[in-house]
Amino acid sequence: KQEVTQIPAALSVPEGENLVLNCSFTDSAIYNLQWFRQDPGKGLTSLLLIQSSQREQTSGRLNASLDKSSGRSTLYIAASQPGDSATYLCAVSFRGGGGADGLTFGKGTHLIIQP
Amino acid sequence: DTGVSQDPRHKITKRGQNVTFRCDPISEHNRLYWYRQTLGQGPEFLTYFQNEAQLEKSRLLSDRFSAERPKGSFSTLEIQRTEQGDSAMYLCASSSQGYYNSPLHFGNGTRLTVT
């Protein structure tokens, strides 16, 4: 079964710290991996998309890496701010996965940045 | 680009009633997806459309669920004879082409509560 796992489930850090969120997936045959942010009661905001041929993507203070062979991705957040508090979701588009182009999501990491 | 719009934001209904949700994707996007998210979980794929054609449905989409996209623009998701287990956030997303090339853009969702 194709699954996506995120560790930790929750994380609380003081403002200003750099932090890493982890995502692992069970099948290396993927089209791409996407990181999303979700605020309480809201939809998902796309942060970064990494194609299967890429190793990393950067946007502002965010950097996402992809290692297909080990089935892992990390989301690095530099100089965290209270506004970064949200749930961060990792999603993978598996080749031959359910829903053709459908994404398989992890359960997310609930991040709290303490002012 | 006004983003993906979903209506209503919240719906409370009694068990056994029918409900219908609407999604308006980003105007130039030809792909539209429906996902369902329960508390503490990542979204789960339900179905997707390319233009007006419904190309795939998840096994999660029982025969009480039906989705349409009649003119390749907005989409509706209907649930007949609602059950308490249908209570969830229903998310719509759109993308401009083959998913592996572009990220999904999500709406803010419709939260359904079945009493």
Side-chain angles (χ1 to χ4, degrees):
Chain A
K1 182 181 178 183
Q2 294 164 328
E3 294 182 341
V4 177
T5 303
Q6 292 188 245
I7 294 174
L11 181 64
S12 181
V13 301
E15 179 179 3
E17 284 199 5
N18 303 325
L19 56 98
V20 175
L21 307 181
N22 296 292
C23 173
S24 61
F25 45 95
T26 54
D27 186 345
S28 62
I30 69 172
Y31 288 118
N32 58 55
L33 182 146
Q34 195 166 347
W35 283 94
F36 292 89
R37 168 187 173 136
Q38 186 172 32
D39 293 290
K42 297 293 182 65
L44 281 65
T45 300
S46 177
L47 298 174
L48 291 163
L49 181 148
I50 311 178
Q51 303 289 355
S52 63
S53 58
Q54 297 174 323
R55 298 298 298 267
E56 67 177 344
Q57 282 287 326
T58 298
S59 176
R61 296 182 293 108
L62 305 179
N63 175 274
S65 68
L66 174 64
D67 184 344
K68 274 195 313 179
S69 61
S70 66
R72 294 181 186 277
S73 175
T74 60
L75 179 66
Y76 175 82
I77 303 176
S80 58
Q81 303 171 357
D84 295 331
S85 299
T87 296
Y88 289 80
L89 292 155
C90 170
V92 177
S93 180
F94 290 105
R95 292 180 183 271
D101 288 5
L103 292 172
T104 300
F105 281 84
K107 293 183 179 182
T109 294
H110 181 55
L111 176 64
I112 296 175
I113 306 299
Q114 306 156 9
Chain B
D1 178 355
T2 58
V4 177
S5 177
Q6 292 190 246
D7 184 68
R9 287 298 309 279
H10 303 276
K11 178 70 176 179
I12 300 174
T13 190
K14 293 184 178 180
R15 188 175 56 188
Q17 297 295 305
N18 299 341
V19 295
T20 300
F21 311 140
R22 176 179 170 125
C23 171
D24 287 89
I26 294 172
S27 57
E28 64 268 25
H29 286 183
N30 62 349
R31 290 201 169 199
L32 186 148
Y33 305 77
W34 285 99
Y35 285 79
R36 181 174 70 186
Q37 186 179 27
T38 54
L39 198 62
Q41 303 294 314
E44 295 174 294
F45 171 81
L46 293 178
T47 188
Y48 88 100
F49 294 82
Q50 180 157 325
N51 300 313
E52 67 275 10
Q54 187 174 18
L55 295 186
E56 190 149 351
K57 295 189 290 186
S58 162
R59 60 178 173 75
L60 296 175
L61 213 65
S62 76
D63 56 6
R64 295 185 296 106
F65 288 70
S66 63
E68 295 182 344
R69 194 183 183 196
K71 297 182 179 179
S73 56
F74 73 92
S75 175
T76 58
L77 177 67
E78 181 184 17
I79 308 174
Q80 296 182 328
R81 305 181 303 282
T82 53
E83 302 173 355
Q84 288 186 323
D86 297 331
S87 295
M89 174 80 88
Y90 289 84
L91 294 162
C92 177
S94 67
S95 69
S96 59
Q97 50 186 328
Y99 167 69
Y100 12 98
N101 298 317
S102 62
L104 266 62
H105 298 264
F106 280 82
N108 281 328
T110 293
R111 180 167 295 283
L112 173 66
T113 302
V114 181
T115 61

